[in-house]
Amino acid sequence: SAYNESLKKHPLLTKCITSGILSFGGDILCQALFPPANSSRSQSHNSSNEEHQSTVTIDFFRTAKFAFLGTALTGPALHYWYGFLTRIISGVQFSSTMQRLFLDQIFFAPVFLTSFFSSALLLDGKADSIPAKLQNDLFETLKANYIVWVPCQFVNFMLVPPHLQVLFA
């Protein structure tokens, strides 16, 4: 496929662009399905025909920020991290998968989440908010990360070929 050819010729660039596109689409979907409580998503009620209408307003600055972070932070970080894990722990046996999963979740996840929060706040011009954000949200985010990403990364490390793992993640 064209994607696999691109991965062979330009692995880092392909993974960065892929991550940016997925981050862009994921944020649009997230905003549409889970608008903030203070968003401009509103429901109007028409008493004559009992129809409900929803209006979703997308914060395109936020979406652009997530696309940029996906391209410039997530894509490269995962490319190099997964490459490192594959070099130091090879194979798809249960034990090697668990070793990669352990290293990923104990070492990479906290560092990556800290970097992501910090980068997002820097892009918002709120560098002074970084310590409070990390103190207030990092632990809860890590707990949620472990619930979602431990099973996902198990599948990723066990079943997905290394060159496609950034796409899967």
Side-chain angles (χ1 to χ4, degrees):
S1 82
Y3 186 78
N4 283 328
E5 283 303 313
S6 184
L7 278 173
K8 285 179 189 172
K9 291 179 183 173
H10 308 286
L12 178 60
L13 180 62
T14 302
K15 292 171 188 177
C16 290
I17 292 170
T18 300
S19 182
I21 291 169
L22 291 174
S23 296
F24 177 89
D27 186 63
I28 294 281
L29 185 63
C30 183
Q31 288 187 59
L33 295 176
F34 307 103
N38 61 350
S39 79
S40 51
R41 180 176 182 167
S42 61
Q43 268 200 349
S44 59
H45 180 69
N46 183 339
S47 60
S48 64
N49 61 10
E50 300 295 318
E51 289 182 25
H52 292 280
Q53 296 177 343
S54 272
T55 304
V56 176
T57 301
I58 300 297
D59 178 349
F60 285 104
F61 176 77
R62 176 184 135 164
T63 300
K65 177 176 62 177
F66 276 92
F68 174 77
L69 289 172
T71 303
L73 176 66
T74 307
L78 293 180
H79 169 79
Y80 288 112
W81 175 246
Y82 292 166
F84 171 73
L85 285 179
T86 301
R87 279 191 308 280
I88 64 167
I89 305 168
S90 61
V92 292
Q93 300 84 3
F94 181 80
S95 63
S96 57
T97 297
M98 292 304 291
Q99 290 170 25
R100 284 194 300 277
L101 181 62
F102 175 80
L103 292 175
D104 184 63
Q105 294 301 306
I106 297 303
F107 295 108
F108 182 78
V111 171
F112 179 78
L113 289 172
T114 298
S115 300
F116 191 87
F117 281 153
S118 300
S119 297
L121 287 168
L122 284 170
L123 290 173
D124 287 339
K126 299 178 181 176
D128 56 332
S129 300
I130 293 171
K133 177 71 171 174
L134 296 175
Q135 184 175 8
N136 294 332
D137 295 345
L138 184 59
F139 182 69
E140 289 301 317
T141 304
L142 273 170
K143 287 192 327 189
N145 168 82
Y146 295 142
I147 291 168
V148 172
W149 284 105
V150 167
C152 290
Q153 289 295 70
F154 179 81
V155 170
N156 195 15
F157 295 146
M158 185 83 167
L159 302 176
V160 178
H163 69 285
L164 295 175
Q165 289 178 351
V166 172
L167 174 63
F168 183 85

